[in-house]
Amino acid sequence: MIRTTLAAAAILAAAPAFADPVPYALDASHSQIIFSYDHLGYSTTYGMFSGFEGTINFDEDDPANSSVSVSMPITMMFTGWEKRDEHFLSADFFNASSDAAADEARNTVSFESTSIEVTGEDTALITGDLTMNGVTQSVVLDTTLNQQGTHPQQGKPWLGFDATTTILRSDFGVGAFAPFVSDEVEIVISIEAGTDAA
């Protein structure tokens, strides 16, 4: 019995210690979400979101144990034409308010991961809840880890990811003028995040 206990203790002592996921704060200055959609078959219109807040809890030993939480104000959407931006914020689409405190749920776009399926050395499918216009739908982000290392200027651990997905805007209650203006919206995401560690 004593030998068995000692052997078990030796095995546990020799086993590698697994650390908890490390929190990385999003670098809003180097993170973008670009969306595009077909306009009446004549052109492709592009827009962008900025003003991110969020955290990536990254588990290097077990990436599937990682998680992502991101949010941004809908009023930070930019398409390059002021009247179109105003239209998107009107009652035809998001019915957003310039006063973010007026209706935080409606004025905020957020994503909370629910599971991660590792598909390759640097790739994964991240499933999560996307909330937009007060509606929550499950989406899957096809994700690539671009780089993990020490940021040459910040001197801190740093991550960089790209991801893509396609959504139906009508699923989120912003389906005006579909299908003439495409219901499908393609989304391209590129983000950086760093730790507080020096």
Side-chain angles (χ1 to χ4, degrees):
M1 181 66 177
I2 293 175
R3 288 181 180 178
T4 302
T5 303
L6 290 175
I11 291 171
L12 289 173
F18 293 99
D20 292 332
V22 176
Y24 287 74
L26 255 65
D27 174 10
S29 66
H30 295 98
S31 298
Q32 295 179 334
I33 293 180
I34 297 172
F35 62 90
S36 63
Y37 59 90
D38 177 84
H39 182 256
L40 304 173
Y42 292 107
S43 65
T44 301
T45 301
Y46 294 87
M48 183 178 71
F49 283 100
S50 60
F52 297 92
E53 294 182 356
T55 303
I56 299 172
N57 292 303
F58 186 65
D59 190 330
E60 184 177 359
D61 296 322
D62 182 13
N65 190 42
S66 303
S67 63
V68 181
S69 176
V70 181
S71 65
M72 71 212 77
I74 197 73
T75 52
M76 293 295 287
M77 178 173 48
F78 172 77
T79 69
W81 192 44
E82 186 175 349
K83 288 185 178 181
R84 178 167 50 234
D85 295 347
E86 291 173 356
H87 191 197
F88 281 167
L89 298 180
S90 75
D92 280 345
F93 292 96
F94 289 99
N95 197 26
S97 168
S98 58
D99 179 6
D103 190 344
E104 185 175 355
R106 182 174 293 279
N107 281 355
T108 302
V109 179
S110 64
F111 177 83
E112 297 278 348
S113 64
T114 54
S115 67
I116 297 178
E117 177 190 352
V118 176
T119 56
E121 185 176 349
D122 296 314
T123 59
L125 297 175
I126 301 177
T127 300
D129 291 332
L130 175 64
T131 300
M132 184 167 59
N133 197 35
V135 178
T136 300
Q137 297 283 344
S138 180
V139 301
V140 179
L141 306 180
D142 191 349
T143 308
T144 299
L145 171 62
N146 297 325
Q147 184 162 273
Q148 175 189 5
T150 301
H151 194 288
Q153 295 170 311
Q154 300 291 336
K156 300 176 181 180
W158 216 258
L159 300 172
F161 292 93
D162 283 351
T164 60
T165 192
T166 301
I167 65 170
L168 295 178
R169 58 190 178 89
S170 60
D171 286 347
F172 296 89
V174 287
F177 313 117
F180 308 106
V181 177
S182 176
D183 194 13
E184 286 193 351
V185 177
E186 296 183 5
I187 298 173
V188 177
I189 303 165
S190 190
I191 61 174
E192 294 184 24
T195 71
D196 290 331

